[in-house]
Amino acid sequence: VSITNGAFDASVGLTLQSPFEVMFDELTSGSTLSQLITSRFDFKPSGTLYANLPIDASVNGEHDWNLKFSFSDDDLFQLPGPSIIIDFNACKISEAFELLLGKLG
């Protein structure tokens, strides 16, 4: 079993959801700058995922089967979850099972 010419791309981060503003009188009110900053930032998690995994398999080097798994998600932190697509030739997969079962007994 091998994965050849696969691709994987993931990105995760935080985005500032609203602008940060501090009024001058808030700086002189006795609050520390740290308190003002942490109470004003509103972060939103963001992330994307894309993976393409073509899998080649063979049994005793006799037969080759190809599967391709594709995963994608434009926003990892929102529903729905990632989409998963499995692309394969069903006839070749049934041949693989027959060959494996034949080796068992």
Side-chain angles (χ1 to χ4, degrees):
V1 175
S2 66
I3 297 175
T4 306
N5 295 325
F8 182 82
D9 182 34
S11 171
V12 178
L14 294 172
T15 56
L16 189 59
Q17 198 156 343
S18 59
F20 173 69
E21 297 177 356
V22 175
M23 304 301 285
F24 182 74
D25 63 335
E26 291 175 315
L27 292 173
T28 60
S29 68
S31 297
T32 65
L33 185 58
S34 175
Q35 290 170 330
L36 290 173
I37 290 174
T38 56
S39 65
R40 296 297 171 96
F41 283 134
D42 187 15
F43 290 105
K44 177 185 174 196
S46 62
T48 59
L49 169 71
Y50 170 77
N52 185 13
L53 305 172
I55 297 175
D56 297 318
S58 64
V59 177
N60 292 334
E62 297 177 15
H63 297 280
D64 290 323
W65 297 278
N66 307 80
L67 297 164
K68 185 179 3 174
F69 292 89
S70 297
F71 304 88
S72 64
D73 194 340
D74 291 331
D75 192 343
L76 291 171
F77 298 97
Q78 296 292 321
L79 292 175
S83 67
I84 301 170
I85 298 171
I86 302 171
D87 184 13
F88 63 93
N89 183 333
C91 294
K92 287 195 171 204
I93 296 298
S94 67
E95 289 174 14
F97 283 123
E98 288 175 12
L99 184 63
L100 288 172
L101 290 174
K103 299 282 182 188
L104 292 176

